[in-house]
Amino acid sequence: MNENFFQTVFEQASEGIVLIDGASRYLLEANKAFGELVGYPEELLFSMTLNDFIDLSPVGVERLYNQALAGKDQYVGEVKCRRQGGTLIDVELRLSLIHFGEKELFCAVIRDITMYRRVEKDLLETGGRFRQAVFAAPLPIMIHAEDGLVVVVNSEWTKRTGYAFKDIPTIDAWVRKAFGTDSASMFEKLGFLYKTKTACTYEDLSVTTSNGEKLVWNFCSAPAGTLPDERRLFITIAMDVTAGKRTENDLKAALHEKDSMLREVHLRAKNNMQVIMSLLNLQSRYINNPDAQEFFRESQERVRAMVLIHEMLCNSGNPARIDFNEYARSLVGGIISAYSPNQSNLQVEMRISRIVVSLEIAVPCGLIIHELVSNSLKHGFPDVKSGMISIDFDCDEAGLYTLVVGDNGIGLPRGLDMEAPATLGLSLVTTLAKQLQGVVEFIGTSGTVCKISFRG
């Protein structure tokens, strides 16, 4: 490598480089970067010394020269550099002694570190704001290292748990104090956090305070930078959900109590209706008129339709709503057994969606089905050896319920006024439909088909 190579490196270096006469201390050579750094024109540089740029007392700069002359290691330090106009900037100075033949020279390498100091200052200010935010936060916050060292515990953490920073210097101390017999589970969760270094959440964990009070906390932990020795930091933020869990438990208890009360109501309603059925049955034994006996029997079956609902609600998972498909099938089976036990040629088609309905819908719909099916069995097939009864029940996305009960029997009598039907059964159908705020239609020419539409 020849002299031109070194001259090129000297001129193109990004850091300011100057050669200084060991005797006079004047600058001998300065590269372009140094000229730009200090802001002086080249013709002035070589009449200046290092004292004109470095913001140290002359004695201080001379001390650096003497240190180099004594054969010690090069000086490396951060100093202030004075630019033309008096502006001071932060620089890193490297000063060393070199021998050029019999001549002693000093080589100074100067690097502008102003930007780095500005960034460092911003980081310190940000760190200060972060620390202030942590301590002022309304939520309990802990910062801990991956080896279990607790670095920060904010005032809210201490306020809620009673444990100050001195009480829980390590994660191990905190977990054992707060989780007791459940410590192993919490250690496992934290171990997973330290291993994966990804954000984790833990919900509904029981925490014991210093005075023995039980709290319920949700935790969220995540990586939060490193310590100067490269140990990873993690931040854990807690949310006290004790009040919410107590409210939730109170609601569950209230719902359980309501559930028990509803079941008791249904049980008593069922028992009372069974008493009514027994009284009607006993009374009918003293009546010789066949029409009156039939009236009593129909009344018993209507009560039985309501008893079945309360019985199913007593035994269901939800005492306020009933599976209408299951109810309707049990109801129709009971009606057929009561009115047509020997009619083996009768077919029943039931197309009922799996719909769960309230008592307000189940009772009138059940009674409507009872009236229409029993009417078909009694009057629809007088001379027919076989027949069919169909029942459809569905609810569309708009909440419109449709109940259709039909048969292929002889149909309704001609001239029957459905606005004012002469029979009790059909009168009940129209009355119950009005109770549902629904519309009743009798459609078709073959057999009898009754369609009721209503909104739940």
Coordinates of all heavy atoms in Angstrom, one line a residue, residues 372-450:
L372 N -108.0 -29.2 18.4 CA -108.1 -29.6 17.0 C -107.8 -31.1 16.8 O -108.5 -31.7 16.0 CB -107.0 -28.8 16.2 CG -107.3 -27.3 16.1 CD1 -106.1 -26.5 15.5 CD2 -108.6 -27.0 15.4
V373 N -106.9 -31.7 17.5 CA -106.6 -33.1 17.3 C -107.8 -33.9 17.9 O -108.3 -34.9 17.3 CB -105.3 -33.5 18.0 CG1 -105.2 -35.1 18.0 CG2 -104.1 -32.9 17.3
S374 N -108.3 -33.6 19.1 CA -109.4 -34.3 19.7 C -110.7 -34.1 18.8 O -111.5 -35.1 18.6 CB -109.7 -33.8 21.1 OG -110.0 -32.4 21.1
N375 N -110.8 -33.0 18.2 CA -112.0 -32.7 17.3 C -111.9 -33.6 16.1 O -112.9 -34.2 15.6 CB -112.0 -31.3 16.9 CG -113.3 -30.9 16.1 OD1 -114.4 -30.9 16.7 ND2 -113.2 -30.7 14.8
S376 N -110.7 -33.8 15.5 CA -110.5 -34.7 14.4 C -110.8 -36.1 14.8 O -111.4 -36.9 14.0 CB -109.0 -34.6 13.9 OG -108.7 -33.3 13.3
L377 N -110.3 -36.5 15.9 CA -110.5 -37.9 16.3 C -112.0 -38.2 16.6 O -112.5 -39.3 16.3 CB -109.7 -38.2 17.6 CG -108.2 -38.2 17.5 CD1 -107.5 -38.3 18.8 CD2 -107.7 -39.4 16.5
K378 N -112.8 -37.2 17.1 CA -114.2 -37.5 17.4 C -115.1 -37.3 16.2 O -116.1 -38.1 16.1 CB -114.6 -36.5 18.5 CG -114.0 -36.7 19.9 CD -114.6 -35.8 20.9 CE -114.2 -34.4 20.7 NZ -114.7 -33.5 21.8
H379 N -114.7 -36.4 15.3 CA -115.7 -36.0 14.2 C -115.1 -36.2 12.8 O -115.9 -36.2 11.9 CB -116.2 -34.6 14.4 CG -116.7 -34.3 15.8 ND1 -117.8 -34.9 16.3 CD2 -116.2 -33.4 16.7 CE1 -118.0 -34.4 17.5 NE2 -117.1 -33.5 17.8
G380 N -113.8 -36.3 12.7 CA -113.2 -36.2 11.3 C -113.3 -37.5 10.5 O -113.3 -37.5 9.3
F381 N -113.4 -38.7 11.2 CA -113.3 -39.9 10.5 C -114.5 -40.9 10.9 O -114.3 -42.0 11.4 CB -112.0 -40.6 10.8 CG -110.8 -39.7 10.6 CD1 -110.1 -39.3 11.7 CD2 -110.4 -39.4 9.4 CE1 -109.0 -38.4 11.6 CE2 -109.2 -38.5 9.2 CZ -108.6 -38.1 10.4
P382 N -115.7 -40.5 10.7 CA -116.9 -41.4 11.2 C -117.0 -42.7 10.4 O -117.3 -43.7 10.9 CB -118.1 -40.5 11.0 CG -117.7 -39.5 9.9 CD -116.2 -39.2 10.1
D383 N -116.8 -42.6 9.0 CA -116.9 -43.8 8.2 C -115.6 -44.2 7.5 O -115.7 -45.0 6.5 CB -118.0 -43.5 7.1 CG -119.3 -43.1 7.7 OD1 -119.7 -43.8 8.7 OD2 -120.0 -42.1 7.3
V384 N -114.5 -43.6 7.9 CA -113.2 -43.9 7.3 C -112.4 -44.8 8.2 O -112.3 -44.6 9.4 CB -112.5 -42.6 7.0 CG1 -111.2 -43.0 6.3 CG2 -113.3 -41.7 6.1
K385 N -111.9 -45.9 7.6 CA -111.2 -46.9 8.4 C -109.8 -46.5 8.7 O -109.1 -47.0 9.6 CB -111.2 -48.3 7.7 CG -112.6 -48.9 7.6 CD -112.5 -50.2 6.9 CE -113.9 -50.9 6.9 NZ -113.8 -52.2 6.2
S386 N -109.3 -45.5 7.9 CA -107.9 -45.0 8.2 C -107.9 -43.5 7.9 O -108.7 -43.0 7.1 CB -106.9 -45.7 7.2 OG -107.2 -45.4 5.9
G387 N -107.0 -42.8 8.6 CA -107.0 -41.4 8.4 C -105.6 -40.9 8.8 O -104.7 -41.6 9.3
M388 N -105.4 -39.6 8.5 CA -104.1 -39.0 8.8 C -104.3 -37.6 9.5 O -105.2 -36.8 9.1 CB -103.3 -38.8 7.6 CG -102.0 -38.0 7.8 SD -101.0 -37.9 6.3 CE -100.5 -39.6 6.1
I389 N -103.6 -37.4 10.5 CA -103.5 -36.1 11.2 C -102.1 -35.5 11.1 O -101.1 -36.3 11.3 CB -103.9 -36.2 12.7 CG1 -105.4 -36.6 12.8 CG2 -103.7 -34.9 13.4 CD1 -105.8 -36.9 14.2
S390 N -102.0 -34.3 10.7 CA -100.6 -33.7 10.6 C -100.5 -32.4 11.5 O -101.5 -31.7 11.6 CB -100.3 -33.3 9.1 OG -101.3 -32.3 8.7
I391 N -99.4 -32.3 12.0 CA -99.1 -31.1 12.9 C -97.7 -30.5 12.5 O -96.7 -31.2 12.4 CB -99.1 -31.5 14.4 CG1 -100.4 -32.1 14.8 CG2 -98.8 -30.3 15.2 CD1 -100.4 -32.7 16.2
D392 N -97.7 -29.2 12.2 CA -96.5 -28.5 11.8 C -96.4 -27.3 12.7 O -97.3 -26.6 13.0 CB -96.6 -28.0 10.3 CG -96.6 -29.2 9.3 OD1 -97.7 -29.7 9.1 OD2 -95.6 -29.5 8.8
F393 N -95.1 -27.1 13.2 CA -94.9 -25.9 14.0 C -93.5 -25.4 13.7 O -92.5 -26.2 13.7 CB -95.0 -26.3 15.5 CG -94.9 -25.1 16.4 CD1 -95.8 -24.1 16.5 CD2 -93.8 -25.0 17.3 CE1 -95.8 -23.1 17.3 CE2 -93.7 -23.9 18.2 CZ -94.7 -22.9 18.2
D394 N -93.3 -24.1 13.4 CA -92.0 -23.6 13.0 C -92.0 -22.1 13.4 O -93.0 -21.5 13.7 CB -91.8 -23.8 11.5 CG -90.4 -23.6 11.1 OD1 -89.5 -23.5 12.0 OD2 -90.1 -23.6 9.9
C395 N -90.8 -21.6 13.4 CA -90.5 -20.2 13.6 C -89.5 -19.7 12.7 O -88.4 -20.3 12.6 CB -90.1 -19.9 15.1 SG -89.8 -18.2 15.5
D396 N -89.8 -18.6 11.9 CA -88.8 -18.1 10.9 C -87.8 -17.1 11.6 O -87.9 -16.8 12.8 CB -89.5 -17.5 9.7 CG -90.3 -16.2 10.1 OD1 -90.1 -15.7 11.2 OD2 -91.2 -15.8 9.3
E397 N -86.9 -16.6 10.8 CA -85.9 -15.7 11.3 C -86.4 -14.4 11.9 O -85.8 -13.7 12.7 CB -84.8 -15.4 10.2 CG -84.0 -16.7 9.8 CD -83.0 -16.4 8.7 OE1 -83.0 -15.2 8.3 OE2 -82.2 -17.3 8.4
A398 N -87.6 -14.0 11.4 CA -88.2 -12.8 11.8 C -89.0 -12.9 13.1 O -89.6 -12.0 13.6 CB -89.1 -12.2 10.7
G399 N -89.0 -14.2 13.6 CA -89.8 -14.4 14.9 C -91.2 -14.7 14.7 O -92.0 -14.6 15.6
L400 N -91.7 -15.1 13.5 CA -93.1 -15.4 13.2 C -93.3 -16.9 13.4 O -92.7 -17.7 12.7 CB -93.4 -15.0 11.8 CG -94.9 -15.3 11.3 CD1 -95.8 -14.4 12.1 CD2 -95.0 -15.0 9.8
Y401 N -94.1 -17.2 14.3 CA -94.5 -18.6 14.6 C -95.7 -19.1 13.7 O -96.6 -18.3 13.5 CB -94.9 -18.8 16.1 CG -93.7 -18.7 17.0 CD1 -93.3 -17.5 17.5 CD2 -93.0 -19.9 17.4 CE1 -92.3 -17.4 18.5 CE2 -91.9 -19.8 18.3 CZ -91.6 -18.5 18.8 OH -90.6 -18.4 19.7
T402 N -95.6 -20.3 13.3 CA -96.7 -20.8 12.5 C -97.1 -22.2 13.0 O -96.2 -23.1 13.0 CB -96.4 -20.9 11.0 OG1 -96.0 -19.6 10.5 CG2 -97.6 -21.4 10.2
L403 N -98.3 -22.4 13.4 CA -98.9 -23.7 13.9 C -99.9 -24.1 12.9 O -100.9 -23.4 12.7 CB -99.4 -23.6 15.3 CG -100.1 -24.8 15.8 CD1 -99.2 -26.0 15.9 CD2 -100.8 -24.5 17.2
V404 N -99.8 -25.3 12.3 CA -100.7 -25.8 11.4 C -101.2 -27.2 11.8 O -100.3 -28.1 12.0 CB -100.2 -25.9 9.9 CG1 -101.3 -26.4 9.0 CG2 -99.7 -24.5 9.5
V405 N -102.5 -27.4 12.0 CA -103.0 -28.7 12.4 C -104.1 -29.1 11.4 O -105.0 -28.3 11.1 CB -103.6 -28.7 13.8 CG1 -104.2 -30.1 14.2 CG2 -102.6 -28.2 14.9
G406 N -103.9 -30.3 10.8 CA -104.9 -30.7 9.8 C -105.2 -32.2 9.8 O -104.5 -33.0 10.4
D407 N -106.2 -32.5 9.1 CA -106.6 -34.0 8.9 C -107.2 -34.1 7.5 O -107.5 -33.2 6.8 CB -107.5 -34.5 9.9 CG -108.9 -33.8 9.9 OD1 -109.4 -33.6 8.8 OD2 -109.4 -33.4 11.0
N408 N -107.3 -35.4 7.0 CA -107.9 -35.7 5.7 C -109.3 -36.3 5.9 O -109.7 -37.1 5.1 CB -107.0 -36.6 4.9 CG -106.8 -38.0 5.6 OD1 -107.2 -38.2 6.8 ND2 -106.2 -38.9 4.9
G409 N -110.0 -35.8 6.9 CA -111.3 -36.4 7.2 C -112.4 -35.7 6.4 O -112.1 -35.1 5.3
I410 N -113.6 -35.6 7.0 CA -114.8 -35.2 6.2 C -114.8 -33.6 6.2 O -115.7 -33.1 5.5 CB -116.0 -35.7 6.8 CG1 -116.2 -35.3 8.3 CG2 -116.0 -37.3 6.8 CD1 -117.5 -35.7 8.9
G411 N -114.0 -33.0 7.0 CA -114.0 -31.5 7.0 C -115.1 -30.9 7.9 O -115.9 -31.6 8.5
L412 N -115.1 -29.6 8.0 CA -116.0 -28.9 8.8 C -117.4 -28.8 8.2 O -117.6 -28.9 7.0 CB -115.5 -27.4 9.1 CG -114.2 -27.3 9.8 CD1 -113.8 -25.9 9.8 CD2 -114.4 -27.8 11.3
P413 N -118.4 -28.7 9.0 CA -119.8 -28.6 8.4 C -119.9 -27.4 7.5 O -119.3 -26.3 7.8 CB -120.7 -28.4 9.7 CG -119.8 -29.0 10.8 CD -118.4 -28.7 10.5
R414 N -120.7 -27.5 6.5 CA -121.0 -26.4 5.6 C -121.7 -25.3 6.3 O -122.6 -25.5 7.1 CB -121.8 -26.8 4.4 CG -121.1 -27.8 3.5 CD -121.9 -28.2 2.3 NE -121.2 -29.1 1.4 CZ -120.4 -28.7 0.4 NH1 -120.2 -27.4 0.2 NH2 -119.8 -29.6 -0.4
G415 N -121.3 -24.0 6.0 CA -122.0 -22.9 6.5 C -121.6 -22.5 8.0 O -122.2 -21.7 8.6
L416 N -120.5 -23.2 8.5 CA -120.1 -22.9 9.8 C -119.5 -21.5 9.9 O -118.6 -21.2 9.1 CB -119.0 -24.0 10.3 CG -118.5 -23.8 11.7 CD1 -119.6 -24.0 12.7 CD2 -117.4 -24.8 11.9
D417 N -119.9 -20.7 10.8 CA -119.4 -19.3 11.0 C -118.2 -19.4 11.9 O -118.4 -19.5 13.2 CB -120.5 -18.4 11.5 CG -120.0 -17.0 11.6 OD1 -118.9 -16.7 11.2 OD2 -120.8 -16.1 12.1
M418 N -117.0 -19.2 11.4 CA -115.8 -19.3 12.2 C -115.7 -18.1 13.1 O -114.9 -18.1 14.1 CB -114.6 -19.5 11.4 CG -114.6 -20.8 10.6 SD -114.9 -22.3 11.7 CE -113.6 -22.1 12.9
E419 N -116.4 -17.0 12.8 CA -116.3 -15.8 13.7 C -117.1 -16.0 15.0 O -116.7 -15.5 16.0 CB -116.9 -14.6 13.0 CG -116.0 -14.2 11.7 CD -114.6 -13.7 12.1 OE1 -114.5 -13.1 13.2 OE2 -113.7 -14.0 11.3
A420 N -118.1 -16.9 14.9 CA -118.9 -17.2 16.1 C -119.2 -18.7 16.0 O -120.4 -19.1 15.8 CB -120.2 -16.4 16.1
P421 N -118.2 -19.6 16.2 CA -118.5 -21.0 16.1 C -119.4 -21.5 17.2 O -119.4 -21.0 18.3 CB -117.1 -21.6 16.3 CG -116.3 -20.6 17.0 CD -116.8 -19.3 16.5
A422 N -120.2 -22.5 16.9 CA -121.2 -23.0 17.8 C -120.6 -24.0 18.9 O -121.2 -24.2 19.9 CB -122.3 -23.7 17.0
T423 N -119.4 -24.6 18.6 CA -118.8 -25.5 19.5 C -117.8 -24.9 20.5 O -117.2 -23.9 20.1 CB -118.1 -26.7 18.8 OG1 -117.0 -26.1 18.0 CG2 -119.1 -27.3 17.8
L424 N -117.7 -25.5 21.7 CA -116.8 -24.9 22.7 C -115.3 -25.1 22.2 O -114.5 -24.2 22.4 CB -117.0 -25.7 24.0 CG -116.0 -25.3 25.1 CD1 -116.1 -23.8 25.5 CD2 -116.2 -26.2 26.3
G425 N -115.0 -26.2 21.6 CA -113.7 -26.5 21.1 C -113.2 -25.4 20.1 O -112.1 -24.8 20.3
L426 N -114.0 -25.1 19.1 CA -113.5 -24.1 18.1 C -113.5 -22.7 18.7 O -112.7 -21.9 18.3 CB -114.4 -24.2 16.9 CG -114.3 -25.5 16.0 CD1 -115.3 -25.5 14.9 CD2 -112.9 -25.7 15.6
S427 N -114.4 -22.5 19.6 CA -114.4 -21.2 20.3 C -113.2 -21.0 21.1 O -112.6 -19.9 21.1 CB -115.6 -21.1 21.3 OG -116.8 -21.1 20.6
L428 N -112.7 -22.1 21.7 CA -111.4 -22.0 22.5 C -110.3 -21.7 21.5 O -109.4 -21.0 21.9 CB -111.2 -23.3 23.2 CG -111.9 -23.5 24.6 CD1 -111.7 -24.9 25.1 CD2 -111.3 -22.5 25.6
V429 N -110.3 -22.3 20.3 CA -109.2 -22.1 19.4 C -109.1 -20.6 19.0 O -108.0 -20.1 19.0 CB -109.4 -23.0 18.1 CG1 -108.4 -22.6 17.0 CG2 -109.2 -24.5 18.5
T430 N -110.2 -20.0 18.7 CA -110.2 -18.6 18.3 C -109.8 -17.7 19.5 O -109.1 -16.7 19.4 CB -111.5 -18.2 17.8 OG1 -112.6 -18.5 18.7 CG2 -111.9 -18.9 16.5
T431 N -110.3 -18.1 20.7 CA -109.9 -17.3 21.9 C -108.5 -17.4 22.2 O -107.8 -16.4 22.5 CB -110.8 -17.8 23.1 OG1 -112.2 -17.6 22.8 CG2 -110.4 -17.0 24.4
L432 N -107.9 -18.6 22.1 CA -106.5 -18.8 22.4 C -105.6 -18.1 21.4 O -104.5 -17.6 21.7 CB -106.2 -20.3 22.5 CG -106.8 -21.1 23.7 CD1 -106.7 -22.6 23.5 CD2 -106.1 -20.6 25.0
A433 N -106.1 -18.1 20.1 CA -105.3 -17.4 19.1 C -105.2 -15.9 19.3 O -104.2 -15.3 19.1 CB -105.9 -17.7 17.7
K434 N -106.4 -15.4 19.8 CA -106.4 -14.0 20.2 C -105.4 -13.7 21.3 O -104.8 -12.7 21.4 CB -107.8 -13.5 20.5 CG -108.7 -13.4 19.3 CD -110.1 -13.0 19.7 CE -111.1 -13.0 18.5 NZ -112.4 -12.6 19.0
Q435 N -105.3 -14.7 22.3 CA -104.4 -14.5 23.4 C -103.0 -14.4 22.9 O -102.2 -13.7 23.5 CB -104.6 -15.7 24.4 CG -103.7 -15.7 25.6 CD -104.0 -16.9 26.5 OE1 -105.1 -17.4 26.6 NE2 -102.9 -17.3 27.1
L436 N -102.7 -15.1 21.9 CA -101.4 -15.1 21.2 C -101.2 -13.9 20.3 O -100.1 -13.7 19.7 CB -101.1 -16.4 20.5 CG -100.9 -17.7 21.3 CD1 -101.0 -18.9 20.4 CD2 -99.6 -17.7 22.0
Q437 N -102.3 -13.1 20.2 CA -102.3 -12.0 19.2 C -102.0 -12.5 17.8 O -101.3 -11.9 17.0 CB -101.3 -10.9 19.6 CG -101.6 -10.3 20.9 CD -100.7 -9.2 21.3 OE1 -99.6 -9.0 20.7 NE2 -101.0 -8.4 22.3
G438 N -102.6 -13.7 17.5 CA -102.4 -14.3 16.2 C -103.6 -14.3 15.3 O -104.6 -13.8 15.7
V439 N -103.4 -14.9 14.1 CA -104.4 -14.9 13.1 C -104.8 -16.4 12.8 O -103.9 -17.2 12.6 CB -104.0 -14.2 11.8 CG1 -105.0 -14.3 10.7 CG2 -103.6 -12.8 12.0
V440 N -106.1 -16.7 12.8 CA -106.6 -18.0 12.5 C -107.1 -18.1 11.1 O -107.9 -17.3 10.7 CB -107.7 -18.4 13.5 CG1 -108.1 -19.9 13.3 CG2 -107.2 -18.3 15.0
E441 N -106.7 -19.2 10.4 CA -107.2 -19.4 9.1 C -107.6 -20.9 9.0 O -106.8 -21.8 9.4 CB -106.2 -19.1 8.0 CG -105.7 -17.7 7.9 CD -104.6 -17.6 6.9 OE1 -104.9 -17.5 5.7 OE2 -103.4 -17.5 7.3
F442 N -108.8 -21.2 8.4 CA -109.2 -22.5 8.0 C -109.1 -22.6 6.5 O -109.8 -21.9 5.8 CB -110.6 -22.8 8.5 CG -110.6 -23.1 10.0 CD1 -110.8 -22.0 10.9 CD2 -110.5 -24.4 10.5 CE1 -110.9 -22.2 12.2 CE2 -110.6 -24.6 11.9 CZ -110.7 -23.5 12.8
I443 N -108.2 -23.5 6.0 CA -107.9 -23.5 4.6 C -108.1 -24.9 4.1 O -108.1 -25.9 4.8 CB -106.4 -23.1 4.4 CG1 -105.4 -23.9 5.2 CG2 -106.2 -21.6 4.7 CD1 -104.0 -23.6 5.0
G444 N -108.2 -25.0 2.7 CA -108.3 -26.3 2.0 C -109.7 -26.8 1.9 O -110.6 -26.3 2.6
T445 N -109.9 -27.7 0.9 CA -111.2 -28.3 0.7 C -111.3 -29.7 1.1 O -112.4 -30.3 1.2 CB -111.6 -28.1 -0.8 OG1 -110.5 -28.7 -1.6 CG2 -111.7 -26.7 -1.2
S446 N -110.1 -30.4 1.2 CA -110.1 -31.8 1.6 C -109.7 -31.9 3.1 O -108.6 -31.6 3.5 CB -109.1 -32.5 0.7 OG -109.0 -33.9 1.2
G447 N -110.7 -32.3 3.9 CA -110.4 -32.4 5.3 C -110.4 -31.0 6.0 O -111.0 -30.1 5.5
T448 N -109.8 -31.0 7.1 CA -109.8 -29.7 7.9 C -108.4 -29.3 8.2 O -107.6 -30.1 8.7 CB -110.5 -29.9 9.2 OG1 -111.9 -30.3 9.0 CG2 -110.5 -28.6 10.0
V449 N -108.0 -28.1 7.8 CA -106.7 -27.5 8.1 C -106.8 -26.2 8.8 O -107.5 -25.3 8.2 CB -105.8 -27.4 6.8 CG1 -104.5 -26.8 7.2 CG2 -105.7 -28.7 6.1
C450 N -106.2 -26.1 10.0 CA -106.3 -24.8 10.7 C -104.8 -24.3 10.8 O -103.9 -25.0 11.3 CB -106.9 -25.0 12.1 SG -106.9 -23.6 13.1

